[in-house]
Amino acid sequence: MDVLNLFGEKGETPVSDIFSDLTTNQKMSVMNLLLTIGVCDGEQGDEDKELQYLNTIVRDLNVRADRSMAYLDSFGQERIIDDLESLSRNQKEFLVIMTWGMITCDGRPNETELQFASTIFEKLGVTEDQFVATIEKSLALMKKFF
């Protein structure tokens, strides 16, 4: 069971709830981070599974994918950092979990995806050790409850 698809009261998802106070630009940067992770491995990934994962996030964040991509094209990857560095610790941890979901939605992680994610999260103030610890905690909770 995917933690991102659990529905709370009133049809809210953890994604929509945790990121409810983000600006539209910040939400688009969340999308663009995940999109960039999805495409950074080129032909190694399963584009259909990655697209399916992204579509779930687009719905939950209530942003348009085409506007998010135009935003990325206009301002570049550094804008992702600018928009997301002010997220709370809990939001960054959830973003780590979402990123891990993007990395693994199409199979085993590869070095390109892991390296890119590590670089981005370092710029966001999340060390590699914190990244790994967040994933391990998430996986342990999933194992315990599901």
Side-chain angles (χ1 to χ4, degrees):
M1 177 171 275
D2 185 350
V3 71
L4 300 180
N5 290 326
L6 297 176
F7 287 89
E9 294 180 27
K10 302 178 186 175
E12 289 184 357
T13 66
V15 173
S16 63
D17 184 46
I18 288 174
F19 295 131
S20 65
D21 65 339
L22 268 57
T23 66
T24 300
N25 287 351
Q26 287 175 308
K27 290 178 181 181
M28 288 191 296
S29 285
V30 168
M31 280 302 309
N32 290 332
L33 170 63
L34 297 174
L35 174 66
T36 305
I37 292 284
V39 300
C40 76
D41 61 352
E43 300 296 319
Q44 296 178 36
D46 183 332
E47 289 181 22
D48 291 336
K49 288 182 180 179
E50 291 171 340
L51 186 58
Q52 185 178 23
Y53 185 84
L54 284 172
N55 284 334
T56 300
I57 304 301
V58 165
R59 182 195 70 227
D60 292 348
L61 288 176
N62 195 25
V63 293
R64 291 183 40 176
D66 60 334
R67 287 192 60 211
S68 296
M69 292 186 327
Y71 184 66
L72 179 62
D73 288 343
S74 295
F75 296 102
Q77 288 183 359
E78 283 304 311
R79 188 59 178 255
I80 294 171
I81 306 303
D82 293 341
D83 285 342
L84 300 181
E85 65 188 347
S86 64
L87 268 62
S88 71
R89 179 179 169 182
N90 287 341
Q91 288 171 323
K92 286 180 183 177
E93 286 180 352
F94 200 77
L95 188 57
V96 166
I97 294 167
M98 292 171 61
T99 300
W100 186 249
M102 185 70 205
I103 290 170
T104 60
C105 73
D106 62 344
R108 293 182 59 87
N110 65 57
E111 187 64 31
T112 304
E113 293 168 321
L114 295 173
Q115 186 66 39
F116 182 80
S118 177
T119 300
I120 290 289
F121 278 96
E122 285 282 342
K123 291 179 181 180
L124 293 175
V126 178
T127 67
E128 187 174 326
D129 288 342
Q130 291 168 323
F131 186 89
V132 171
T134 299
I135 292 166
E136 287 174 345
K137 182 171 71 172
S138 171
L139 292 173
L141 287 170
M142 291 295 290
K143 184 177 180 178
K144 180 177 181 174
F145 293 109
F146 301 106

